[in-house]
Short mmCIF file of all heavy atoms in Angstrom, two decimals:
data_model
loop_
_atom_site.label_atom_id
_atom_site.label_comp_id
_atom_site.label_asym_id
_atom_site.label_seq_id
_atom_site.Cartn_x
_atom_site.Cartn_y
_atom_site.Cartn_z
N ARG B 86 -19.60 -14.08 7.31
CA ARG B 86 -18.18 -14.13 7.74
C ARG B 86 -17.85 -15.49 8.40
O ARG B 86 -16.77 -15.96 8.25
CB ARG B 86 -17.93 -13.00 8.78
CG ARG B 86 -17.45 -11.72 8.14
CD ARG B 86 -16.63 -10.92 9.10
NE ARG B 86 -17.24 -10.69 10.39
CZ ARG B 86 -16.84 -11.29 11.51
NH1 ARG B 86 -15.82 -12.07 11.50
NH2 ARG B 86 -17.46 -11.04 12.65
N THR B 102 0.42 -12.21 -5.40
CA THR B 102 -0.24 -11.02 -4.88
C THR B 102 -1.34 -11.33 -3.85
O THR B 102 -1.89 -10.45 -3.24
CB THR B 102 -0.88 -10.19 -6.02
OG1 THR B 102 -1.82 -11.05 -6.68
CG2 THR B 102 0.16 -9.75 -7.00
N SER B 103 -1.63 -12.60 -3.67
CA SER B 103 -2.75 -12.92 -2.78
C SER B 103 -2.35 -13.09 -1.33
O SER B 103 -3.19 -13.37 -0.49
CB SER B 103 -3.46 -14.21 -3.30
OG SER B 103 -4.02 -13.95 -4.54
N ASN B 105 -0.47 -11.24 1.98
CA ASN B 105 -0.06 -9.95 2.49
C ASN B 105 1.49 -9.94 2.66
O ASN B 105 2.00 -10.78 3.42
CB ASN B 105 -0.74 -9.71 3.84
CG ASN B 105 -0.50 -8.30 4.34
OD1 ASN B 105 0.51 -7.68 4.05
ND2 ASN B 105 -1.43 -7.82 5.15
N ARG B 112 1.42 -16.43 10.46
CA ARG B 112 0.37 -15.53 10.91
C ARG B 112 -0.83 -15.60 9.97
O ARG B 112 -1.98 -15.67 10.41
CB ARG B 112 0.94 -14.12 10.88
CG ARG B 112 0.04 -13.06 11.48
CD ARG B 112 0.29 -12.92 12.97
NE ARG B 112 -0.75 -12.12 13.60
CZ ARG B 112 -1.91 -12.66 14.01
NH1 ARG B 112 -2.16 -13.92 13.86
NH2 ARG B 112 -2.81 -11.88 14.57
N GLN B 113 -0.56 -15.57 8.65
CA GLN B 113 -1.68 -15.51 7.71
C GLN B 113 -2.44 -16.85 7.63
O GLN B 113 -3.66 -16.83 7.54
CB GLN B 113 -1.13 -15.15 6.32
CG GLN B 113 -0.56 -13.75 6.28
CD GLN B 113 -0.23 -13.28 4.88
OE1 GLN B 113 -1.09 -13.20 4.03
NE2 GLN B 113 1.03 -12.98 4.62
N GLU B 116 -4.78 -17.30 10.70
CA GLU B 116 -5.87 -16.37 10.92
C GLU B 116 -7.26 -17.02 10.95
O GLU B 116 -8.04 -16.73 11.88
CB GLU B 116 -5.86 -15.23 9.92
CG GLU B 116 -5.04 -14.04 10.36
CD GLU B 116 -5.01 -12.91 9.36
OE1 GLU B 116 -5.18 -13.14 8.15
OE2 GLU B 116 -4.83 -11.76 9.77
N HIS B 121 -12.30 -18.49 13.53
CA HIS B 121 -13.41 -19.46 13.54
C HIS B 121 -13.36 -20.48 14.64
O HIS B 121 -14.36 -20.98 15.08
CB HIS B 121 -13.49 -20.18 12.18
CG HIS B 121 -13.65 -19.26 11.03
ND1 HIS B 121 -14.74 -18.43 10.90
CD2 HIS B 121 -12.84 -18.97 9.98
CE1 HIS B 121 -14.59 -17.69 9.78
NE2 HIS B 121 -13.46 -18.00 9.22
N ASP H 228 -4.99 -7.80 -4.00
CA ASP H 228 -5.56 -9.17 -3.93
C ASP H 228 -5.57 -9.71 -2.50
O ASP H 228 -6.47 -10.42 -2.11
CB ASP H 228 -4.73 -10.12 -4.79
CG ASP H 228 -4.97 -9.90 -6.27
OD1 ASP H 228 -5.94 -9.19 -6.62
OD2 ASP H 228 -4.26 -10.49 -7.09
N ARG H 231 -8.66 -9.09 -0.54
CA ARG H 231 -9.74 -10.07 -0.88
C ARG H 231 -9.47 -11.38 -0.19
O ARG H 231 -10.41 -11.98 0.38
CB ARG H 231 -9.74 -10.23 -2.39
CG ARG H 231 -10.93 -10.97 -2.92
CD ARG H 231 -10.84 -11.11 -4.43
NE ARG H 231 -9.59 -11.77 -4.82
CZ ARG H 231 -9.16 -11.88 -6.05
NH1 ARG H 231 -9.82 -11.40 -7.05
NH2 ARG H 231 -8.03 -12.50 -6.32
N THR H 232 -8.22 -11.81 -0.19
CA THR H 232 -7.87 -13.05 0.52
C THR H 232 -8.26 -12.95 2.00
O THR H 232 -8.87 -13.85 2.55
CB THR H 232 -6.37 -13.34 0.41
OG1 THR H 232 -5.98 -13.23 -0.94
CG2 THR H 232 -6.05 -14.73 0.94
N SER H 235 -11.87 -13.26 2.41
CA SER H 235 -12.32 -14.67 2.13
C SER H 235 -12.04 -15.60 3.29
O SER H 235 -12.59 -16.67 3.35
CB SER H 235 -11.67 -15.20 0.85
OG SER H 235 -10.39 -15.70 1.12
N LYS H 236 -11.17 -15.18 4.19
CA LYS H 236 -10.91 -16.03 5.35
C LYS H 236 -11.90 -15.79 6.47
O LYS H 236 -11.85 -16.43 7.52
CB LYS H 236 -9.50 -15.74 5.90
CG LYS H 236 -8.40 -16.25 4.99
CD LYS H 236 -7.03 -16.24 5.64
CE LYS H 236 -6.41 -14.86 5.60
NZ LYS H 236 -4.98 -14.89 5.98
N GLY H 237 -12.80 -14.81 6.27
CA GLY H 237 -13.82 -14.57 7.28
C GLY H 237 -13.38 -13.59 8.34
O GLY H 237 -14.03 -13.52 9.41
N ARG H 246 -5.25 -4.73 10.44
CA ARG H 246 -4.11 -5.60 10.26
C ARG H 246 -3.60 -5.63 8.85
O ARG H 246 -2.42 -5.65 8.61
CB ARG H 246 -4.48 -7.00 10.75
CG ARG H 246 -3.24 -7.89 10.90
CD ARG H 246 -3.65 -9.32 11.29
NE ARG H 246 -4.32 -9.36 12.58
CZ ARG H 246 -5.08 -10.39 12.99
NH1 ARG H 246 -5.25 -11.45 12.22
NH2 ARG H 246 -5.64 -10.38 14.18
N HIS H 247 -4.54 -5.69 7.90
CA HIS H 247 -4.10 -5.88 6.53
C HIS H 247 -3.94 -4.61 5.73
O HIS H 247 -3.06 -4.50 4.90
CB HIS H 247 -5.03 -6.88 5.82
CG HIS H 247 -4.87 -8.27 6.31
ND1 HIS H 247 -4.00 -9.16 5.77
CD2 HIS H 247 -5.48 -8.90 7.34
CE1 HIS H 247 -4.08 -10.33 6.43
NE2 HIS H 247 -4.94 -10.18 7.37
N ASN H 251 0.13 -1.98 5.73
CA ASN H 251 0.70 -1.83 4.39
C ASN H 251 0.67 -0.40 3.86
O ASN H 251 1.58 0.06 3.23
CB ASN H 251 -0.02 -2.76 3.37
CG ASN H 251 0.48 -4.17 3.49
OD1 ASN H 251 1.55 -4.47 3.06
ND2 ASN H 251 -0.32 -5.02 4.12
#
Side-chain angles (χ1 to χ4, degrees):
Chain B
R86 267 207 310 109
T102 59
S103 296
N105 188 332
R112 186 89 192 85
Q113 295 189 60
E116 270 182 333
H121 302 298
Chain H
D228 286 350
R231 191 180 56 189
T232 311
S235 83
K236 288 193 279 192
R246 192 184 298 162
H247 289 270
N251 280 285

